[in-house]
Amino acid sequence: MCDSTRRPKTFDLVNHNILFNKLQKFGVPDCLHAWFGSYLSNCQQRVRANQSLSSWKELKGGMPQGSWLGPLSFLVLIDDLFAGCPLYKYVNDSTLSEALQRNCSSSDMTYFFTNLLDWIARNDMQLNLPKTKEMILGPLAKSNIPHSLQQ
């Protein structure tokens, strides 16, 4: 059964044109660019559950699930992800971080988060807000620093 309310998964959102532009910036040779383009065009997939197989569905975008090229392509896509703060990237999970001094009364995380949202918009991606968390550790957790995700 198809749930039309489900949020798209990260690999469903990969815009092929943006990915190909980034591959060009990396200097990927034209022959590999063409090969990769043919790999992604007219692509079909189906699902197996126990002994049952679904019908074939043509992919309209995104990246084939379970392929070796999917995670590598996503790493190319997020290579230029910059937020202005220490950023830890792992395929489709990223962590922004900021260390504040004990006597600090403000945070730049709202600015960093805005930079992240700008990158998301430029790259035709979506933020999965229900999975987005903010965590404050140490004595500052008890302070009144405004939380950037509360909007």
Side-chain angles (χ1 to χ4, degrees), residues 94-121:
S94 298
T95 301
L96 308 178
S97 66
E98 178 184 34
L100 299 175
Q101 299 300 320
R102 206 175 274 274
N103 59 355
C104 184
S105 62
S106 67
S107 167
D108 291 328
M109 192 51 70
T110 300
Y111 169 75
F112 303 143
F113 193 67
T114 300
N115 289 343
L116 175 67
L117 293 175
D118 289 345
W119 182 91
I120 288 170

PDB file of all heavy atoms in Angstrom, residues 94-121:
ATOM      1  N   SER A  94      24.039  15.088   8.920  1.00  0.00           N
ATOM      2  CA  SER A  94      25.049  16.112   9.184  1.00  0.00           C
ATOM      3  C   SER A  94      24.841  16.674  10.585  1.00  0.00           C
ATOM      4  O   SER A  94      23.716  16.746  11.072  1.00  0.00           O
ATOM      5  CB  SER A  94      24.952  17.248   8.162  1.00  0.00           C
ATOM      6  OG  SER A  94      25.208  16.755   6.874  1.00  0.00           O
ATOM      7  N   THR A  95      25.941  17.083  11.193  1.00  0.00           N
ATOM      8  CA  THR A  95      25.891  17.661  12.525  1.00  0.00           C
ATOM      9  C   THR A  95      26.609  19.002  12.504  1.00  0.00           C
ATOM     10  O   THR A  95      27.767  19.079  12.098  1.00  0.00           O
ATOM     11  CB  THR A  95      26.578  16.734  13.550  1.00  0.00           C
ATOM     12  OG1 THR A  95      25.915  15.470  13.542  1.00  0.00           O
ATOM     13  CG2 THR A  95      26.533  17.324  14.945  1.00  0.00           C
ATOM     14  N   LEU A  96      25.908  20.048  12.929  1.00  0.00           N
ATOM     15  CA  LEU A  96      26.507  21.359  13.119  1.00  0.00           C
ATOM     16  C   LEU A  96      26.928  21.448  14.577  1.00  0.00           C
ATOM     17  O   LEU A  96      26.221  20.960  15.448  1.00  0.00           O
ATOM     18  CB  LEU A  96      25.491  22.476  12.837  1.00  0.00           C
ATOM     19  CG  LEU A  96      24.735  22.458  11.520  1.00  0.00           C
ATOM     20  CD1 LEU A  96      23.752  23.616  11.473  1.00  0.00           C
ATOM     21  CD2 LEU A  96      25.684  22.529  10.360  1.00  0.00           C
ATOM     22  N   SER A  97      28.062  22.082  14.836  1.00  0.00           N
ATOM     23  CA  SER A  97      28.475  22.200  16.234  1.00  0.00           C
ATOM     24  C   SER A  97      29.013  23.595  16.516  1.00  0.00           C
ATOM     25  O   SER A  97      29.493  24.284  15.625  1.00  0.00           O
ATOM     26  CB  SER A  97      29.522  21.147  16.590  1.00  0.00           C
ATOM     27  OG  SER A  97      30.709  21.380  15.880  1.00  0.00           O
ATOM     28  N   GLU A  98      28.916  23.968  17.782  1.00  0.00           N
ATOM     29  CA  GLU A  98      29.414  25.257  18.237  1.00  0.00           C
ATOM     30  C   GLU A  98      29.839  25.104  19.692  1.00  0.00           C
ATOM     31  O   GLU A  98      29.103  24.554  20.504  1.00  0.00           O
ATOM     32  CB  GLU A  98      28.305  26.307  18.114  1.00  0.00           C
ATOM     33  CG  GLU A  98      28.688  27.668  18.601  1.00  0.00           C
ATOM     34  CD  GLU A  98      27.528  28.660  18.560  1.00  0.00           C
ATOM     35  OE1 GLU A  98      26.369  28.234  18.784  1.00  0.00           O
ATOM     36  OE2 GLU A  98      27.795  29.830  18.317  1.00  0.00           O
ATOM     37  N   ALA A  99      31.021  25.565  19.992  1.00  0.00           N
ATOM     38  CA  ALA A  99      31.503  25.550  21.381  1.00  0.00           C
ATOM     39  C   ALA A  99      31.397  26.977  21.916  1.00  0.00           C
ATOM     40  O   ALA A  99      31.918  27.906  21.318  1.00  0.00           O
ATOM     41  CB  ALA A  99      32.942  25.064  21.439  1.00  0.00           C
ATOM     42  N   LEU A 100      30.698  27.135  23.021  1.00  0.00           N
ATOM     43  CA  LEU A 100      30.523  28.454  23.640  1.00  0.00           C
ATOM     44  C   LEU A 100      31.316  28.515  24.938  1.00  0.00           C
ATOM     45  O   LEU A 100      31.397  27.531  25.674  1.00  0.00           O
ATOM     46  CB  LEU A 100      29.046  28.713  23.929  1.00  0.00           C
ATOM     47  CG  LEU A 100      28.106  28.720  22.721  1.00  0.00           C
ATOM     48  CD1 LEU A 100      26.660  28.877  23.181  1.00  0.00           C
ATOM     49  CD2 LEU A 100      28.481  29.825  21.762  1.00  0.00           C
ATOM     50  N   GLN A 101      31.860  29.678  25.212  1.00  0.00           N
ATOM     51  CA  GLN A 101      32.580  29.886  26.453  1.00  0.00           C
ATOM     52  C   GLN A 101      31.592  29.965  27.622  1.00  0.00           C
ATOM     53  O   GLN A 101      30.418  30.306  27.441  1.00  0.00           O
ATOM     54  CB  GLN A 101      33.400  31.175  26.380  1.00  0.00           C
ATOM     55  CG  GLN A 101      34.446  31.163  25.279  1.00  0.00           C
ATOM     56  CD  GLN A 101      35.451  30.041  25.438  1.00  0.00           C
ATOM     57  OE1 GLN A 101      35.890  29.744  26.551  1.00  0.00           O
ATOM     58  NE2 GLN A 101      35.808  29.397  24.334  1.00  0.00           N
ATOM     59  N   ARG A 102      32.067  29.701  28.778  1.00  0.00           N
ATOM     60  CA  ARG A 102      31.240  29.665  29.981  1.00  0.00           C
ATOM     61  C   ARG A 102      30.481  30.981  30.214  1.00  0.00           C
ATOM     62  O   ARG A 102      29.351  30.983  30.618  1.00  0.00           O
ATOM     63  CB  ARG A 102      32.120  29.356  31.182  1.00  0.00           C
ATOM     64  CG  ARG A 102      31.402  28.715  32.315  1.00  0.00           C
ATOM     65  CD  ARG A 102      32.366  28.333  33.416  1.00  0.00           C
ATOM     66  NE  ARG A 102      32.975  27.037  33.243  1.00  0.00           N
ATOM     67  CZ  ARG A 102      32.418  25.894  33.655  1.00  0.00           C
ATOM     68  NH1 ARG A 102      31.247  25.913  34.227  1.00  0.00           N
ATOM     69  NH2 ARG A 102      33.029  24.757  33.496  1.00  0.00           N
ATOM     70  N   ASN A 103      31.085  32.109  29.928  1.00  0.00           N
ATOM     71  CA  ASN A 103      30.435  33.391  30.182  1.00  0.00           C
ATOM     72  C   ASN A 103      29.679  33.941  28.962  1.00  0.00           C
ATOM     73  O   ASN A 103      29.235  35.071  28.989  1.00  0.00           O
ATOM     74  CB  ASN A 103      31.469  34.419  30.662  1.00  0.00           C
ATOM     75  CG  ASN A 103      32.578  34.615  29.645  1.00  0.00           C
ATOM     76  OD1 ASN A 103      32.626  33.920  28.638  1.00  0.00           O
ATOM     77  ND2 ASN A 103      33.480  35.541  29.922  1.00  0.00           N
ATOM     78  N   CYS A 104      29.537  33.156  27.939  1.00  0.00           N
ATOM     79  CA  CYS A 104      28.862  33.595  26.716  1.00  0.00           C
ATOM     80  C   CYS A 104      27.347  33.583  26.920  1.00  0.00           C
ATOM     81  O   CYS A 104      26.790  32.656  27.490  1.00  0.00           O
ATOM     82  CB  CYS A 104      29.237  32.677  25.566  1.00  0.00           C
ATOM     83  SG  CYS A 104      28.570  33.189  23.988  1.00  0.00           S
ATOM     84  N   SER A 105      26.694  34.619  26.437  1.00  0.00           N
ATOM     85  CA  SER A 105      25.243  34.698  26.623  1.00  0.00           C
ATOM     86  C   SER A 105      24.477  34.598  25.306  1.00  0.00           C
ATOM     87  O   SER A 105      23.264  34.755  25.285  1.00  0.00           O
ATOM     88  CB  SER A 105      24.875  36.012  27.322  1.00  0.00           C
ATOM     89  OG  SER A 105      25.256  37.101  26.503  1.00  0.00           O
ATOM     90  N   SER A 106      25.186  34.379  24.203  1.00  0.00           N
ATOM     91  CA  SER A 106      24.477  34.244  22.925  1.00  0.00           C
ATOM     92  C   SER A 106      25.148  33.178  22.069  1.00  0.00           C
ATOM     93  O   SER A 106      26.304  32.833  22.264  1.00  0.00           O
ATOM     94  CB  SER A 106      24.447  35.583  22.183  1.00  0.00           C
ATOM     95  OG  SER A 106      25.752  35.940  21.789  1.00  0.00           O
ATOM     96  N   SER A 107      24.403  32.700  21.115  1.00  0.00           N
ATOM     97  CA  SER A 107      24.859  31.645  20.226  1.00  0.00           C
ATOM     98  C   SER A 107      24.728  32.121  18.779  1.00  0.00           C
ATOM     99  O   SER A 107      23.838  32.904  18.453  1.00  0.00           O
ATOM    100  CB  SER A 107      24.002  30.398  20.452  1.00  0.00           C
ATOM    101  OG  SER A 107      24.201  29.461  19.422  1.00  0.00           O
ATOM    102  N   ASP A 108      25.603  31.625  17.913  1.00  0.00           N
ATOM    103  CA  ASP A 108      25.509  31.900  16.480  1.00  0.00           C
ATOM    104  C   ASP A 108      24.799  30.777  15.738  1.00  0.00           C
ATOM    105  O   ASP A 108      24.774  30.759  14.512  1.00  0.00           O
ATOM    106  CB  ASP A 108      26.914  32.089  15.888  1.00  0.00           C
ATOM    107  CG  ASP A 108      27.580  33.363  16.356  1.00  0.00           C
ATOM    108  OD1 ASP A 108      26.862  34.354  16.589  1.00  0.00           O
ATOM    109  OD2 ASP A 108      28.822  33.364  16.482  1.00  0.00           O
ATOM    110  N   MET A 109      24.223  29.819  16.460  1.00  0.00           N
ATOM    111  CA  MET A 109      23.636  28.651  15.813  1.00  0.00           C
ATOM    112  C   MET A 109      22.495  29.038  14.870  1.00  0.00           C
ATOM    113  O   MET A 109      22.307  28.392  13.844  1.00  0.00           O
ATOM    114  CB  MET A 109      23.167  27.634  16.857  1.00  0.00           C
ATOM    115  CG  MET A 109      22.821  26.277  16.263  1.00  0.00           C
ATOM    116  SD  MET A 109      24.085  25.517  15.189  1.00  0.00           S
ATOM    117  CE  MET A 109      25.363  25.096  16.342  1.00  0.00           C
ATOM    118  N   THR A 110      21.751  30.093  15.167  1.00  0.00           N
ATOM    119  CA  THR A 110      20.689  30.524  14.254  1.00  0.00           C
ATOM    120  C   THR A 110      21.291  30.917  12.906  1.00  0.00           C
ATOM    121  O   THR A 110      20.763  30.552  11.857  1.00  0.00           O
ATOM    122  CB  THR A 110      19.903  31.710  14.855  1.00  0.00           C
ATOM    123  OG1 THR A 110      19.328  31.273  16.089  1.00  0.00           O
ATOM    124  CG2 THR A 110      18.808  32.175  13.925  1.00  0.00           C
ATOM    125  N   TYR A 111      22.406  31.613  12.924  1.00  0.00           N
ATOM    126  CA  TYR A 111      23.113  31.999  11.698  1.00  0.00           C
ATOM    127  C   TYR A 111      23.588  30.749  10.951  1.00  0.00           C
ATOM    128  O   TYR A 111      23.413  30.626   9.737  1.00  0.00           O
ATOM    129  CB  TYR A 111      24.293  32.913  12.043  1.00  0.00           C
ATOM    130  CG  TYR A 111      25.234  33.169  10.910  1.00  0.00           C
ATOM    131  CD1 TYR A 111      24.886  34.041   9.876  1.00  0.00           C
ATOM    132  CD2 TYR A 111      26.477  32.540  10.859  1.00  0.00           C
ATOM    133  CE1 TYR A 111      25.758  34.275   8.824  1.00  0.00           C
ATOM    134  CE2 TYR A 111      27.348  32.773   9.821  1.00  0.00           C
ATOM    135  CZ  TYR A 111      26.986  33.640   8.805  1.00  0.00           C
ATOM    136  OH  TYR A 111      27.844  33.861   7.764  1.00  0.00           O
ATOM    137  N   PHE A 112      24.191  29.803  11.663  1.00  0.00           N
ATOM    138  CA  PHE A 112      24.684  28.579  11.039  1.00  0.00           C
ATOM    139  C   PHE A 112      23.533  27.774  10.439  1.00  0.00           C
ATOM    140  O   PHE A 112      23.630  27.224   9.338  1.00  0.00           O
ATOM    141  CB  PHE A 112      25.447  27.711  12.051  1.00  0.00           C
ATOM    142  CG  PHE A 112      26.603  28.411  12.711  1.00  0.00           C
ATOM    143  CD1 PHE A 112      26.887  28.164  14.035  1.00  0.00           C
ATOM    144  CD2 PHE A 112      27.403  29.307  12.016  1.00  0.00           C
ATOM    145  CE1 PHE A 112      27.959  28.787  14.660  1.00  0.00           C
ATOM    146  CE2 PHE A 112      28.471  29.942  12.630  1.00  0.00           C
ATOM    147  CZ  PHE A 112      28.750  29.681  13.954  1.00  0.00           C
ATOM    148  N   PHE A 113      22.440  27.706  11.172  1.00  0.00           N
ATOM    149  CA  PHE A 113      21.268  26.961  10.707  1.00  0.00           C
ATOM    150  C   PHE A 113      20.682  27.625   9.465  1.00  0.00           C
ATOM    151  O   PHE A 113      20.263  26.944   8.534  1.00  0.00           O
ATOM    152  CB  PHE A 113      20.239  26.874  11.840  1.00  0.00           C
ATOM    153  CG  PHE A 113      19.142  25.892  11.585  1.00  0.00           C
ATOM    154  CD1 PHE A 113      19.404  24.528  11.522  1.00  0.00           C
ATOM    155  CD2 PHE A 113      17.830  26.321  11.411  1.00  0.00           C
ATOM    156  CE1 PHE A 113      18.383  23.622  11.288  1.00  0.00           C
ATOM    157  CE2 PHE A 113      16.816  25.420  11.183  1.00  0.00           C
ATOM    158  CZ  PHE A 113      17.093  24.068  11.117  1.00  0.00           C
ATOM    159  N   THR A 114      20.682  28.957   9.400  1.00  0.00           N
ATOM    160  CA  THR A 114      20.213  29.682   8.216  1.00  0.00           C
ATOM    161  C   THR A 114      21.095  29.354   7.018  1.00  0.00           C
ATOM    162  O   THR A 114      20.595  29.154   5.903  1.00  0.00           O
ATOM    163  CB  THR A 114      20.193  31.200   8.489  1.00  0.00           C
ATOM    164  OG1 THR A 114      19.307  31.440   9.588  1.00  0.00           O
ATOM    165  CG2 THR A 114      19.719  31.974   7.276  1.00  0.00           C
ATOM    166  N   ASN A 115      22.406  29.289   7.218  1.00  0.00           N
ATOM    167  CA  ASN A 115      23.315  28.893   6.139  1.00  0.00           C
ATOM    168  C   ASN A 115      22.984  27.499   5.634  1.00  0.00           C
ATOM    169  O   ASN A 115      22.997  27.236   4.426  1.00  0.00           O
ATOM    170  CB  ASN A 115      24.773  28.930   6.614  1.00  0.00           C
ATOM    171  CG  ASN A 115      25.285  30.325   6.827  1.00  0.00           C
ATOM    172  OD1 ASN A 115      24.710  31.295   6.343  1.00  0.00           O
ATOM    173  ND2 ASN A 115      26.376  30.444   7.558  1.00  0.00           N
ATOM    174  N   LEU A 116      22.693  26.595   6.555  1.00  0.00           N
ATOM    175  CA  LEU A 116      22.317  25.233   6.177  1.00  0.00           C
ATOM    176  C   LEU A 116      21.035  25.244   5.346  1.00  0.00           C
ATOM    177  O   LEU A 116      20.953  24.582   4.307  1.00  0.00           O
ATOM    178  CB  LEU A 116      22.130  24.373   7.431  1.00  0.00           C
ATOM    179  CG  LEU A 116      21.612  22.953   7.198  1.00  0.00           C
ATOM    180  CD1 LEU A 116      22.645  22.126   6.461  1.00  0.00           C
ATOM    181  CD2 LEU A 116      21.234  22.311   8.511  1.00  0.00           C
ATOM    182  N   LEU A 117      20.038  26.001   5.781  1.00  0.00           N
ATOM    183  CA  LEU A 117      18.772  26.082   5.038  1.00  0.00           C
ATOM    184  C   LEU A 117      18.978  26.663   3.643  1.00  0.00           C
ATOM    185  O   LEU A 117      18.335  26.231   2.682  1.00  0.00           O
ATOM    186  CB  LEU A 117      17.744  26.888   5.818  1.00  0.00           C
ATOM    187  CG  LEU A 117      17.252  26.255   7.117  1.00  0.00           C
ATOM    188  CD1 LEU A 117      16.324  27.217   7.856  1.00  0.00           C
ATOM    189  CD2 LEU A 117      16.575  24.926   6.863  1.00  0.00           C
ATOM    190  N   ASP A 118      19.877  27.646   3.509  1.00  0.00           N
ATOM    191  CA  ASP A 118      20.193  28.207   2.192  1.00  0.00           C
ATOM    192  C   ASP A 118      20.795  27.145   1.280  1.00  0.00           C
ATOM    193  O   ASP A 118      20.431  27.030   0.116  1.00  0.00           O
ATOM    194  CB  ASP A 118      21.160  29.392   2.320  1.00  0.00           C
ATOM    195  CG  ASP A 118      20.521  30.622   2.923  1.00  0.00           C
ATOM    196  OD1 ASP A 118      19.269  30.691   2.987  1.00  0.00           O
ATOM    197  OD2 ASP A 118      21.271  31.529   3.352  1.00  0.00           O
ATOM    198  N   TRP A 119      21.736  26.345   1.795  1.00  0.00           N
ATOM    199  CA  TRP A 119      22.341  25.278   1.004  1.00  0.00           C
ATOM    200  C   TRP A 119      21.275  24.260   0.591  1.00  0.00           C
ATOM    201  O   TRP A 119      21.254  23.812  -0.553  1.00  0.00           O
ATOM    202  CB  TRP A 119      23.460  24.582   1.794  1.00  0.00           C
ATOM    203  CG  TRP A 119      24.135  23.511   0.996  1.00  0.00           C
ATOM    204  CD1 TRP A 119      25.227  23.659   0.205  1.00  0.00           C
ATOM    205  CD2 TRP A 119      23.724  22.146   0.873  1.00  0.00           C
ATOM    206  NE1 TRP A 119      25.527  22.463  -0.404  1.00  0.00           N
ATOM    207  CE2 TRP A 119      24.612  21.519  -0.006  1.00  0.00           C
ATOM    208  CE3 TRP A 119      22.690  21.395   1.417  1.00  0.00           C
ATOM    209  CZ2 TRP A 119      24.510  20.180  -0.358  1.00  0.00           C
ATOM    210  CZ3 TRP A 119      22.574  20.057   1.079  1.00  0.00           C
ATOM    211  CH2 TRP A 119      23.483  19.461   0.201  1.00  0.00           C
ATOM    212  N   ILE A 120      20.395  23.916   1.509  1.00  0.00           N
ATOM    213  CA  ILE A 120      19.328  22.951   1.217  1.00  0.00           C
ATOM    214  C   ILE A 120      18.467  23.455   0.065  1.00  0.00           C
ATOM    215  O   ILE A 120      18.150  22.705  -0.862  1.00  0.00           O
ATOM    216  CB  ILE A 120      18.483  22.687   2.483  1.00  0.00           C
ATOM    217  CG1 ILE A 120      19.289  21.847   3.483  1.00  0.00           C
ATOM    218  CG2 ILE A 120      17.161  22.023   2.148  1.00  0.00           C
ATOM    219  CD1 ILE A 120      18.652  21.744   4.849  1.00  0.00           C
ATOM    220  N   ALA A 121      18.111  24.731   0.083  1.00  0.00           N
ATOM    221  CA  ALA A 121      17.288  25.307  -0.986  1.00  0.00           C
ATOM    222  C   ALA A 121      18.039  25.308  -2.318  1.00  0.00           C
ATOM    223  O   ALA A 121      17.462  24.958  -3.355  1.00  0.00           O
ATOM    224  CB  ALA A 121      16.866  26.725  -0.609  1.00  0.00           C
TER     225      ALA A 121
END
